[in-house]
Amino acid sequence: GFIDKYLSQIILSKFLEGQRLKYFDLKLHRIVAHNAEMQAVLNQACSDRLPVITFVMDFYAHTASLITLFILTENHLGLQDGYRTCVIMLYFLAGYFILREIIQLLSARRLYWNDTWNYADLGRIAMILVLAHTVERIELLEQNVDEG
């Protein structure tokens, strides 16, 4: 009764704040697995529109970044035009990923730096920015050589 509702509120609040549940696998999993009310509360929280739309937007952004990198590689190796659109898309996606990391940093605060995946995300953002800048510089240099 009361303890289950209290635990479900704690789990739900930590889940929605993006905090990791350190001992969830060991202790809380048993409680949630045997309590239909807590499962319903967590399922409702998972199906909320904001978290779901965030996951969907992240999926689209990651997919778009991979496709853009593939197209950029094909264009550069094939010496085709159209690199500018890819570079703009990479800058846009890097901006989206930076925004997501800022939101995570503000919600997790000090815990943000304890998660190694965040470092991987920051590294990916840096690589996208460096790649976009490098391709832009290479293309500008090639244009200057062609004109000169």
Side-chain angles (χ1 to χ4, degrees), residues 36-47:
E37 184 179 332
M38 287 181 68
Q39 289 176 5
V41 169
L42 290 174
N43 286 339
Q44 180 62 34
C46 289
S47 65

Side-chain angles (χ1 to χ4, degrees), residues 29-140:
H29 182 286
R30 292 184 202 127
I31 295 169
V32 172
H34 298 294
N35 190 325
E37 184 179 332
M38 287 181 68
Q39 289 176 5
V41 169
L42 290 174
N43 286 339
Q44 180 62 34
C46 289
S47 65
D48 246 358
R49 289 184 180 185
L50 185 61
V52 170
I53 202 164
T54 302
F55 290 130
V56 170
M57 287 298 297
D58 285 352
F59 172 74
Y60 284 142
H62 289 293
T63 304
S65 68
L66 290 174
I67 291 171
T68 304
L69 289 171
F70 177 75
I71 292 170
L72 185 63
T73 303
E74 288 291 314
N75 286 351
H76 186 68
L77 292 178
L79 300 175
Q80 299 173 4
D81 291 333
Y83 78 93
R84 187 75 180 140
T85 306
C86 291
V87 169
I88 290 170
M89 185 67 171
L90 287 177
Y91 281 132
F92 174 77
L93 291 168
Y96 172 78
F97 292 136
I98 289 169
L99 179 66
R100 288 284 295 131
E101 291 304 311
I102 289 171
I103 291 170
Q104 286 181 10
L105 178 63
L106 292 176
S107 67
R109 303 200 191 271
R110 289 184 185 158
L111 294 176
Y112 178 84
W113 302 109
N114 294 337
D115 189 2
T116 54
W117 283 110
N118 292 329
Y119 292 105
D121 290 339
L122 293 173
R124 184 192 65 232
I125 292 168
M127 286 191 294
I128 289 173
L129 289 172
V130 166
L131 177 69
H133 180 71
T134 303
V135 167
E136 192 172 25
R137 297 281 297 166
I138 289 171
E139 293 297 333
L140 289 174

